[in-house]
Amino acid sequence: MNATEPSAGPPADTPTAPRPDPVAKISAGYAFSGPALDLGALLWEGRCLPDAQVRVPLPMLNRHGLVAGATGTGKTKTLQLVAEQLSAQGVPVFLADVKGDLSGISAPGAPGDRVRTRSAEVGQDWTASAFPAEFYALGGLGHGIPVRATVTSFGPVLLSKVLGLNQTQEQSLGLVFHYADQKGLELYDLKDLRAVVAFLASDEGRPELKALGGLSPATAGVILRTLTAFEAQGTSGFFGEPEFHTAELLRTASDGRGVVSVLELSAVQDRPQLFSTFLMWLLADLFHDLPEVGDAEKPKLVFFFDEAHLLFHDASKAFLDSVTQTVRLIRSKGVGVFFVTQTPKDVPSDVLAQLGNRVQHALRAFTPDDQKALRATVQTFPRSPYDLEELLTGLGTGEAVVTVLSENGAPTPVAATRLRAPESLMGPVDPGVLDGAVKASPLYERYAQAVDRESAYEKLTAAAAHPGAGAPDEPAAEPGRQPEKQPEKQPKKQSQRAAHEEPSVVEQVVGSGMFKSLARSVGTQLGREITRSLFGTARRRR
């Protein structure tokens, strides 16, 4: 049997209407006793059944999920609906806003005939509501509080994966970080890293890593070129200070509702490497700081990453392995991750296997490739009484096929669902209102102004500007007189001369007063090796 497209709003059954056995079985699969989020009402044979509610248990939201469907089928409104209910339950939410239309979650929705009709069909008591929200933008590219990270906090492993370096180049970059950590050369932004790489590949700096294998000019050249290409994608503004503390995403409002953090990505949607970099750093940083909680009553945080194909497009195998590992492990920290994309095939199979909750909107089958993707999608669902190939091509806007994890962790029956309407504004707020909200945030003063403190670039540049500077009290040679050649066996005088020999560039830098401050940067432990995690990112002091 099929659920046909209800474009005209078919009548709803009454609660006393007789139910076929499949409907009773599906409905029973969503009758949870604990707290749950309401997604919508069951569809069966073209009829919407408002007393058969399709829900997802709140504790299961950290088991990750997928919201998929063709363009224009209602995916963004679905994640807005779920984000609203999570916030109302006191769960902070993170939304990656690629299209720039999720800022409306901070404003009450506009009542109208379509909203009234939808809420009546699905048995929803709709009330216009606004939700507490913070707005962010990568490196200040867009409307929002700038989000930045230091190169040090990224670490060599993650940065190597993002840059697409091979194993040898990754190991060489690890040596660069090791040297910078040991010598107190702070790597705040990309120019700092470029300066250290260039120095260690120079004649003066090459001996510094000789005992550890060295940094070949060819490898240094590859790293420098990839850094240049990476900056060309608009990443230079993202690396720097003040560094964003991911704990800001875990806040709740004064009324107990979870804060919805909206990261605007519309300005960088054509630079997927920037988006991917941020995602991996953000999850890894949270993973470091959050304690193990196991199966909690509700998630600590739920992420929604819209247009997930930007994350996986042209990603290396090493990068995909890191994403898979992060998704698998972060669940035990109480963090749920939802990927929002057009088809499940946009998500690698190893990642897809970790997504226990599925909301599949309509798919198109206009081409042979579309038909192949449709059949592959059907095969990922549990067996059901629906003809899913026909159903998925006939769903209307705001309708979806749903299966989630029940309270005991088992998949629920497949349910064709007419989804509820979001109670906040379904569209962006006015840019002026958005800018006003950003500047009124208590976080704006903390992160808005970029800071370029003295770091590796400035230190190496200053040292290189005085390569021949000797000691101030060094005597000048008499005109026309050649320096005396000292006998080889004069230990005391030889020692005196050594005291006047010109120090190397590294000795000048490391021996200068600029290295006396060993705790200038929050999260950077200078003067000794920085502790790095299995993800290669630096642990920071909070």
Side-chain angles (χ1 to χ4, degrees), residues 2-4 6 10-13 19-30 38-55 121-123 384-386 391 395 398-403 412-420:
N2 308 324
T4 56
D13 280 351
R19 296 281 179 80
D21 288 341
V23 171
K25 183 177 180 180
I26 295 172
S27 181
Y30 292 88
D38 296 312
L39 298 179
L42 182 68
L43 284 171
W44 185 260
E45 293 185 330
R47 300 178 67 84
C48 187
L49 311 177
D51 59 327
Q53 290 293 308
V54 177
R55 313 166 75 212
E121 290 173 347
V122 300
S384 76
Y386 294 101
L391 175 61
L395 290 171
E399 297 176 350
V401 173
V402 175
T403 180
T412 59
V414 175
T417 307
R418 182 166 296 161
L419 299 168
R420 293 185 170 214

Side-chain angles (χ1 to χ4, degrees), residues 179-190:
Y179 177 79
D181 292 347
Q182 288 288 325
K183 300 300 184 182
L185 292 170
E186 304 96 326
L187 303 178
Y188 293 151
D189 51 32
L190 293 178

Side-chain angles (χ1 to χ4, degrees), residues 94-97 134-151 153-154 188-189 234-249 251 261-265 268 274-283 285-286 303 305 438 441 443-451 540 542:
F94 173 87
L95 300 177
D97 186 11
E134 289 281 6
F135 301 98
Y136 301 98
L138 286 186
L141 298 177
H143 301 277
I145 298 166
V147 175
R148 305 179 186 90
T150 65
V151 171
S153 73
F154 259 71
Y188 293 151
D189 51 32
T235 60
S236 57
F238 172 53
F239 288 99
E241 289 190 305
E243 184 173 68
F244 181 72
H245 284 195
T246 51
E248 311 283 12
L249 305 178
R251 296 183 300 125
S261 299
V262 182
L263 175 68
E264 181 182 324
L265 295 170
V268 295
L274 177 60
F275 174 38
S276 303
T277 304
F278 171 74
L279 170 62
M280 285 306 302
W281 171 74
L282 193 64
L283 290 179
D285 196 73
L286 280 166
F303 279 74
F305 294 103
V438 171
S441 169
L443 303 182
Y444 182 78
E445 185 176 352
R446 189 180 308 169
Y447 296 109
Q449 185 62 47
V451 177
R540 298 181 296 164
R542 298 302 191 192

Side-chain angles (χ1 to χ4, degrees), residues 40 56 99 108 222 235 253 314 329 369 382 419 433 481 498 512 521 525:
V56 53
K99 295 185 289 291
V222 170
T235 60
D314 287 339
L329 296 178
D369 286 343
L419 299 168
V433 174
R481 180 178 178 181
S512 69
S521 173
Q525 302 172 29

Side-chain angles (χ1 to χ4, degrees), residues 79-85 87 93 95 101-109 129-135 257 260-262 422-429:
L79 67 91
Q80 185 173 345
L81 170 69
V82 177
E84 290 177 352
Q85 296 187 59
S87 175
V93 181
L95 300 177
D101 56 0
L102 284 173
S103 58
I105 200 167
S106 64
S129 304
F131 295 84
E134 289 281 6
F135 301 98
R257 292 184 298 172
V260 181
S261 299
V262 182
E423 296 184 342
S424 57
L425 182 64
M426 290 186 280
V429 298

